Amino acid sequence: MAAINGHLIELIYLAAQIPGPTDRVRVTEWIRKLKDTHSENLAHPRVVPEYLEYLKLLLSQSPIYFVDPFKKLPPKQPGLVPLAEALGNSLADQCPYLPRTGKVAPVLLHRSGNDSASISVQREADGNVVCYMAISPKDPNI
């Protein structure tokens, strides 16, 4: 929770630097949504950090360009879909010939104790199995 709070504080600082009041309000609403989603404990543990990192990346650029999902206010319903699903559906909205993504339901999900590695196995609708492994060192000197 402490790491999330640090990211939220950094985002609040970056949001205060946004020149347009409309964009500032929208980003503030997203920060509130991410805080609420994190405290609900309903989402996958990586959903909120992915959104936080993506929003921080967008706000750190100069000039700031807002892209989906941050071009709109956050959804009213509780929780958030995984960022990959939200971005995939955003592309499908812009390119009608692309299929929309569905709910990602892992068959297996295992994370290391320090959250630096994870492996996920998922079954697609057609029966195929997709394996995903991610390793991210916590020490920036590695």
Side-chain angles (χ1 to χ4, degrees), residues 100-111:
R100 292 187 60 82
T101 59
K103 184 172 176 70
V104 178
V107 173
L108 166 77
L109 176 64
H110 178 73
R111 293 188 358 249

Side-chain angles (χ1 to χ4, degrees), residues 3-123:
I4 297 294
N5 287 338
H7 287 292
L8 291 171
I9 291 169
E10 186 175 356
L11 282 175
I12 291 168
Y13 171 77
L14 291 171
Q17 310 301 317
I18 298 172
T22 305
D23 291 334
R24 212 171 27 246
V25 167
R26 187 175 62 248
V27 167
T28 303
E29 288 298 315
W30 268 103
I31 294 170
R32 181 176 291 123
K33 175 70 172 183
L34 293 171
K35 178 190 164 296
D36 292 346
T37 301
H38 180 71
S39 63
E40 288 171 356
N41 291 326
L42 298 175
H44 184 279
R46 290 297 309 156
V47 168
V48 172
E50 287 173 353
Y51 277 87
L52 288 172
E53 289 295 325
Y54 191 46
L55 183 57
K56 187 166 60 169
L57 177 72
L58 293 176
L59 295 179
S60 299
Q61 304 300 315
S62 180
I64 298 172
Y65 292 107
F66 290 102
V67 296
D68 281 332
F70 303 112
K71 286 196 300 189
K72 300 178 268 190
L73 287 170
K76 298 286 185 199
Q77 71 270 15
L80 289 168
V81 299
L83 182 60
E85 184 178 334
L87 294 175
N89 286 334
S90 168
L91 286 173
D93 289 342
Q94 295 173 20
C95 304
Y97 57 87
L98 292 175
R100 292 187 60 82
T101 59
K103 184 172 176 70
V104 178
V107 173
L108 166 77
L109 176 64
H110 178 73
R111 293 188 358 249
S112 63
N114 63 0
D115 210 21
S116 63
S118 66
I119 186 165
S120 174
V121 179
Q122 300 166 353
R123 182 178 309 250

